[in-house]
């Protein structure tokens, strides 16, 4: 028993049947090696198979996400377009008091005016739109989201009305000639009939009696092309084929009166007339794009009037020429017309288009400055101001002449 449990004893132990047992240091047999290799190869194959399965699953997930993202993008993009550009049939939509943009989206989707209420809600947030009003609206699947949003901001009616035959949206800054073209395109109204009504003194005088605060100064104006230029508010209107054209025009004038009513006292306090305010607003509407520029430009016009200097607005020349040009020639600025504010001082006969409320407010609340000149870079929309003619010429050379 001397060798039992002796750690220094290197002799192999003998089993009960007389065979010696293999120690840990003994080389594995050939059979054991093959067995181990088979197990290793099997594990490798299993690992490779698992890896392939994981790769396939990940690939499928990525593909699914890409497809889902692409599908959502296409859905979102298509939902920004009219639901059906060819369907101009109006439906009555009720927007309850206190409705959120999500609520409105759901209502419009339910009434089949838009494709997705969710996308409408995103559109409202992306464009920072607000001031939607409750009421009854007449909308069609052919309307763009911008038109729908604009209509909701303008407000509906307190009670449902008979469905109109068409919706007419007059863009901000449209002239009476442009409105005539729009009506001829969208309705059964002929352009010549509309322009004839615009020159009808009897009809105009009836409107003066109805809206004296609004139209008295327009009646007193001289050499005007259209007495109602500037007084047809840019908004969306219901058109009925069986109604008189006078009724449609009355709606437009009534809307202008509604917008201006809060400002009548302020206009008097500033020693201005409605005609003068709308004239400057029509220039500001076209000369500036952003609200801050419009307020600055309005003050520049007041600065010029104060020193008895012509307003020299290109908008007045384009109106006098009755055409659109990006750049005016010296010959253009000499056109014989009372509307030419390059050679005529003051406000001129009257408005040059039908301005928005923002342009009107810019005139009534201009941004204080001492500038006499301004010019706009048409490629960027940025407006540059100057106090002297030398500064103005330098800006013109840099931002206008060098880009021609």
């Amino acid at each position: 028993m001397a060798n039992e449990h002796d750690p220094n004893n290197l002799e192999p132990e003998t089993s009960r049947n007389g065979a010696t047992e293999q120690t840990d240091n003994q080389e594995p047999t050939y059979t054991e090696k093959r067995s181990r290799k088979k197990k290793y190869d099997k594990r490798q194959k299993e690992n490779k198979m698992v890896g392939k399965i994981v790769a396939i699953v990940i690939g499928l997930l990525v593909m699914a996400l890409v497809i889902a993202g692409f599908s959502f993008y296409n859905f979102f993009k298509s939902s920004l377009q009219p639901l059906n550009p060819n369907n101009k049939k109006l439906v009555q939509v009720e927007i309850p008091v206190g409705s959120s943009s999500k609520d409105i989206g759901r209502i419009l989707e339910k009434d089949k005016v838009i494709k997705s209420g969710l996308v409408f809600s995103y559109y409202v947030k992306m464009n920072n739109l607000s001031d939607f009003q409750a009421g009854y609206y007449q909308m069609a699947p052919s309307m763009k989201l911008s038109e729908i949003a604009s209509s909701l901001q303008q407000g509906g009616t307190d009670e449902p009305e008979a469905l109109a035959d068409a919706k007419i949206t007059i863009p901000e800054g449209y002239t009476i000639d442009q409105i005539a073209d729009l009506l001829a395109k969208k309705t059964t109204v002929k352009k010549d009939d509309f322009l004839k009504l615009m020159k009808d003194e009897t009809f105009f005088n009836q409107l003066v009696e109805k809206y004296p605060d609004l139209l008295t100064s327009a009646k007193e104006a001289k050499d005007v092309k259209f007495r109602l230029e500037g007084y047809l508010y840019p908004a969306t209107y219901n058109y009925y084929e069986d109604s008189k054209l006078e009724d449609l025009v009355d709606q437009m004038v009534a809307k202008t009166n509604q917008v201006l009513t809060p400002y009548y006292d302020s206009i008097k306090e500033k020693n201005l007339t409605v005609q003068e305010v709308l004239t400057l607003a029509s220039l500001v509407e076209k000369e500036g794009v952003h609200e801050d520029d419009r307020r600055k430009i309005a003050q520049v016009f007041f600065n010029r009037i104060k020193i008895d200097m012509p307003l020299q607005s290109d908008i007045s020349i384009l109106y006098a020429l009755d055409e659109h040009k990006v750049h005016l020639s010296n010959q253009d600025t000499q056109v014989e017309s009372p509307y030419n504010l390059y050679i005529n001082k003051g406000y001129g006969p009257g408005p040059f288009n039908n301005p928005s409320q923002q342009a009107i407010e810019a005139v009534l609340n201009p941004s204080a400055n001492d500038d006499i000149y301004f010019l706009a870079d048409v490629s960027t929309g940025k407006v540059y101001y100057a106090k002297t003619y030398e500064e103005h010429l330098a800006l013109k050379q840099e931002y206008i002449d060098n880009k021609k």
Side-chain angles (χ1 to χ4, degrees):
M1 302 294 292
N3 293 328
E4 188 173 346
H5 304 301
D6 184 354
N8 297 319
N9 183 14
L10 300 180
E11 293 293 328
E13 297 182 357
T14 303
S15 63
R16 292 181 181 177
N17 58 10
T20 58
E21 294 183 354
Q22 181 179 310
T23 65
D24 291 340
N25 294 328
Q26 197 170 0
E27 285 289 328
T29 64
Y30 174 75
T31 302
E32 290 174 331
K33 287 181 178 180
R34 287 194 63 185
S35 176
R36 291 178 182 178
K37 188 174 186 309
K38 286 182 179 180
K39 291 181 180 179
Y40 175 78
D41 290 342
K42 184 179 181 181
R43 283 198 298 269
Q44 288 295 97
K45 288 181 180 180
E46 290 175 350
N47 290 340
K48 287 182 179 180
M49 182 61 68
V50 171
K52 287 181 180 180
I53 293 173
V54 171
I56 291 172
V57 171
I58 293 175
L60 291 173
L61 287 174
V62 171
M63 187 179 297
L65 288 173
V66 170
I67 293 173
F70 185 72
S71 299
F72 178 77
Y73 172 76
N74 284 336
F75 174 78
F76 185 87
K77 190 175 180 180
S78 66
S79 297
L80 292 174
Q81 303 303 316
L83 177 63
N84 185 347
N86 299 318
N87 186 357
K88 298 180 180 180
K89 185 177 181 181
L90 295 169
V91 296
Q92 195 95 240
V93 178
E94 180 186 4
I95 305 298
V97 175
S99 297
S100 65
S101 59
K102 288 184 178 180
D103 295 331
I104 295 174
R106 282 193 290 266
I107 293 171
L108 295 174
E109 182 179 351
K110 174 178 171 292
D111 290 342
K112 297 182 180 180
V113 175
I114 61 174
K115 185 174 184 178
S116 170
L118 178 63
V119 173
F120 176 81
S121 182
Y122 277 121
Y123 174 83
V124 169
K125 291 180 180 178
M126 285 190 304
N127 292 278
N128 197 28
L129 301 175
S130 60
D131 299 327
F132 292 158
Q133 300 181 42
Y136 290 90
Y137 295 84
Q138 295 186 23
M139 299 177 177
S142 60
M143 294 176 67
K144 299 177 181 178
L145 294 190
S146 58
E147 293 175 319
I148 293 173
S150 177
S151 179
L152 289 168
Q153 289 175 321
Q154 293 171 28
T157 58
D158 294 333
E159 299 293 335
E161 297 180 344
L163 290 177
D165 295 302
K167 299 285 285 187
I168 307 300
T169 299
I170 299 175
E172 297 171 345
Y174 255 39
T175 64
I176 280 180
D177 274 311
Q178 289 175 310
I179 294 174
D181 288 330
L182 180 67
L183 288 174
K185 181 180 178 181
K186 299 286 187 180
T187 71
T188 58
V189 175
K190 295 180 180 179
K191 180 176 181 179
D192 289 343
D193 291 341
F194 182 77
L195 295 180
K196 182 180 179 181
L197 182 61
M198 292 298 98
K199 291 183 175 292
D200 188 327
E201 288 292 324
T202 299
F203 173 62
F204 174 77
N205 288 330
Q206 292 172 353
L207 292 175
V208 174
E209 291 181 9
K210 194 171 183 180
Y211 309 104
D213 291 333
L214 177 69
L215 293 171
T216 296
S217 58
K219 182 177 181 179
E220 296 169 351
K222 307 295 183 183
D223 300 321
V224 293
K225 183 179 180 181
F226 298 110
R227 289 201 179 277
L228 288 177
E229 188 77 89
Y231 295 87
L232 306 184
Y233 194 77
T236 299
Y237 300 94
N238 292 335
Y239 169 75
Y240 298 89
E241 291 183 358
D242 59 354
S243 64
K244 294 181 179 179
L245 181 56
E246 288 86 344
D247 294 335
L248 177 61
V249 174
D250 193 311
Q251 283 186 62
M252 300 176 185
V253 176
K255 182 65 176 179
T256 303
N257 185 63
Q258 177 188 337
V259 170
L260 280 173
T261 294
Y263 304 112
Y264 285 142
D265 290 340
S266 176
I267 291 172
K268 291 179 182 178
E269 290 173 3
K270 293 177 180 294
N271 199 28
L272 295 169
T273 66
V274 173
Q275 184 83 340
E276 291 170 341
V277 169
L278 290 179
T279 296
L280 288 189
S282 68
L283 296 177
V284 167
E285 180 73 50
K286 293 292 188 178
E287 294 282 13
V289 176
H290 304 293
E291 182 179 1
D292 56 343
D293 279 323
R294 286 178 170 178
R295 293 183 185 275
K296 291 177 183 177
I297 291 170
Q299 185 60 54
V300 171
F301 286 143
F302 281 124
N303 293 342
R304 286 187 164 223
I305 290 173
K306 186 176 181 180
I307 62 175
D308 198 29
M309 179 180 178
L311 296 183
Q312 296 181 337
S313 170
D314 290 357
I315 305 305
S316 70
I317 302 299
L318 296 175
Y319 191 83
L321 294 172
D322 193 21
E323 62 179 294
H324 176 74
K325 286 186 174 184
V326 177
H327 300 292
L328 298 176
S329 66
N330 289 331
Q331 182 178 355
D332 291 333
T333 61
Q334 299 304 308
V335 61
E336 286 292 332
S337 169
Y339 283 94
N340 182 346
L341 298 187
Y342 266 77
I343 58 178
N344 298 304
K345 297 179 180 179
Y347 296 87
F352 300 87
N353 57 63
N354 295 276
S356 63
Q357 184 172 356
Q358 187 190 83
I360 294 170
E361 290 179 343
V363 171
L364 294 175
N365 297 286
S367 296
N369 62 67
D370 298 324
D371 298 312
I372 302 297
Y373 302 91
F374 71 89
L375 59 85
D377 183 343
V378 294
S379 63
T380 64
K382 185 171 176 57
V383 182
Y384 301 91
Y385 304 87
K387 293 180 174 59
T388 67
Y389 188 57
E390 290 74 22
E391 292 175 0
H392 176 68
L393 288 180
L395 291 171
K396 182 175 179 292
Q397 178 69 28
E398 181 177 358
Y399 295 105
I400 304 298
D401 298 339
N402 289 346
K403 291 191 176 184
K404 288 184 181 180

